[in-house]
Amino acid sequence: MGRQATEILKGTLEGIVLAALSGRPAHGYEITAWLRDQGFTDIAEGTVYALLVRFERRGLVDARRVPSGKGPPRKVYSLGSRGREYLEEFWGNWGFLAEKIEQLREGGR
């Protein structure tokens, strides 16, 4: 991924991670693996965990500890009501930006 794509991704990663949680609760590694399966191969696991900690502090996600068969309990995150509102706002903004960018690409004003 080039520098330009990396910068664009930085601006949208919050919405992308929240979208990953909109389907079902998951722990950080699951989210990272899902993102990689979606083609976001350059996203570091640490970046996802840092976002999840910020989301939890901001009240966008709920977190609970779940026993793991392979070691200590895992923290599983689910989208809270504030997170759903934030995600709806993200999709609205994304739709607006995508429409305007497409107009620019087509040479419109």
Side-chain angles (χ1 to χ4, degrees):
M1 187 180 319
R3 179 171 164 74
Q4 189 178 49
T6 300
E7 291 302 315
I8 292 169
L9 182 59
K10 281 182 189 177
T12 58
L13 193 54
E14 282 191 355
I16 292 168
V17 171
L18 289 174
L21 284 172
S22 69
R24 66 178 179 87
H27 55 78
Y29 179 79
E30 286 177 308
I31 295 167
T32 303
W34 180 83
L35 291 170
R36 288 181 179 153
D37 287 346
Q38 302 306 308
F40 297 103
T41 56
D42 291 345
I43 294 176
E45 197 171 336
T47 302
V48 172
Y49 281 107
L51 274 176
L52 291 169
V53 168
R54 276 203 319 261
F55 290 161
E56 189 176 5
R57 285 187 191 140
R58 292 166 48 194
L60 301 177
V61 297
D62 299 318
R64 62 186 170 82
R65 297 239 180 236
V66 175
S68 169
K70 298 179 181 179
R74 291 186 165 162
K75 208 170 197 182
V76 174
Y77 298 89
S78 58
L79 205 55
S81 59
R82 288 180 62 193
R84 289 194 189 286
E85 290 172 11
Y86 187 94
L87 183 57
E88 279 300 312
E89 184 179 345
F90 170 82
W91 286 130
N93 289 329
W94 180 259
F96 172 81
L97 288 171
E99 179 183 327
K100 297 304 174 190
I101 289 170
E102 188 61 29
Q103 286 175 0
L104 289 170
R105 189 175 90 133
E106 293 172 359
R109 291 182 178 230

